[in-house]
Amino acid sequence: MSARILFSTTARVLRQLTHDKRTIAMIIALPLVLLTLIYYLFQNQPGTFDRIGLIMLGLFPFILMFLITSIAMLRERTSGTLERLLSTPLHKLDLLFGYGIAFGLLAAVQAAIGTGLAYWAFGLHTAGSAGLVIVIAVAGAVLGMALGLFFSAFAASEFQAVQFMPLVAFPQIFLCGLFVPREQMAGWMHALSTVLPLTYAVQGLQEVGRHTEASGLMWRDLGIVAGAAVLALALAAATLRRRTD
């Protein structure tokens, strides 16, 4: 990879995003609307929003980034943009990590705004700091982005790209511990949850909710999420095609 090409790629992706107002609105505003609905849904159940809302701060960025980046990369291929870019000195890793940095910056903005709303408007209470929540939420967003880039290689249309959402995201959401504690799951379901990276983003957020200081388990979980994101980006580079037939 080249640092110059990497940063120029990041700047190009950011410029494209700033010109797409609907995508910016979806990334920034939609999680706030959903978080507001969840708050009022559990308003009369003390303590429930502290548990559910905290996890949602990590789930929303993951889901949105998966959906948006899978479609964005598919458009790069079908429009011929990717073919033109890869005929230059641009390396596949420059492109994919450029996407990662650009969407990671946007995810940091979204996570900060969402966390601010949860803490200061809705009274979210956690033993740990809001800063750790933001860090884990951004890591989850980058994971979603990396998985979206990887699975976009197997889609021939935007409709197919959207179809990967229930295949990739939904099992992770069901088994991450949001609905049922993982310790109470059937043995095979618990075993499956241990190989799904979103599990560790949720577990890291739960650690922040329980402990005043960053625990060793939280750092381990954050490392697993980051490692899974890097692995997904590397796999995306290996499977990246110049165009979709």
Side-chain angles (χ1 to χ4, degrees):
M1 288 194 301
S2 164
R4 180 182 60 82
I5 296 177
L6 175 62
F7 289 126
S8 65
T9 302
T10 301
R12 180 183 69 85
V13 175
L14 287 173
R15 283 195 301 272
Q16 289 179 332
L17 286 172
T18 56
H19 293 151
D20 190 345
K21 306 301 182 185
R22 285 177 295 182
T23 299
I24 293 293
M26 179 178 290
I27 294 175
I28 301 298
L30 183 58
L32 303 183
V33 173
L34 296 176
L35 194 64
T36 300
L37 291 176
I38 290 173
Y39 170 74
Y40 284 106
L41 183 65
F42 296 109
Q43 188 177 21
N44 296 323
Q45 301 179 32
T48 302
F49 180 75
D50 288 344
R51 180 176 65 87
I52 301 295
L54 175 63
I55 294 176
M56 289 301 172
L57 289 173
L59 290 186
F60 289 152
F62 172 84
I63 295 170
L64 283 174
M65 289 299 176
F66 178 90
L67 181 61
I68 291 171
T69 53
S70 60
I71 293 176
M73 181 55 68
L74 183 64
R75 287 178 178 174
E76 296 267 50
R77 295 205 317 271
T78 56
S79 66
T81 302
L82 182 60
E83 188 171 12
R84 291 191 297 271
L85 287 173
L86 293 181
S87 65
T88 70
L90 176 75
H91 191 274
K92 290 180 180 181
L93 288 178
D94 291 316
L95 176 66
L96 294 173
F97 278 89
Y99 261 84
I101 295 172
F103 279 94
L105 292 173
L106 193 57
V109 174
Q110 190 278 320
I113 295 174
T115 302
L117 178 70
Y119 275 91
W120 294 306
F122 299 150
L124 177 69
H125 177 267
T126 58
S129 70
L132 290 173
V133 174
I134 293 174
V135 170
I136 298 174
V138 171
V142 173
L143 173 65
M145 177 274 306
L147 291 174
L149 292 176
F150 172 59
F151 282 98
S152 71
F154 304 100
S157 67
E158 293 184 13
F159 180 67
Q160 289 184 6
V162 172
Q163 288 179 315
F164 279 110
M165 175 65 74
L167 175 65
V168 177
F170 287 3
Q172 299 196 64
I173 294 171
F174 293 151
L175 297 177
C176 70
L178 172 63
F179 300 105
V180 177
R182 293 176 60 235
E183 295 75 15
Q184 298 177 17
M185 293 179 182
W188 67 270
M189 297 181 72
H190 185 276
L192 180 58
S193 73
T194 61
V195 299
L196 300 176
L198 187 60
T199 296
Y200 299 97
V202 170
Q203 186 169 267
L205 289 170
Q206 292 171 332
E207 285 291 294
V208 176
R210 288 191 291 257
H211 302 286
T212 56
E213 300 292 335
S215 66
L217 181 59
M218 189 219 77
W219 288 119
R220 189 209 67 173
D221 291 338
L222 183 59
I224 291 174
V225 173
V230 172
L231 176 61
L233 284 174
L235 291 174
T239 58
L240 185 63
R241 294 173 293 169
R242 293 189 173 195
R243 61 185 302 166
T244 296
D245 298 323

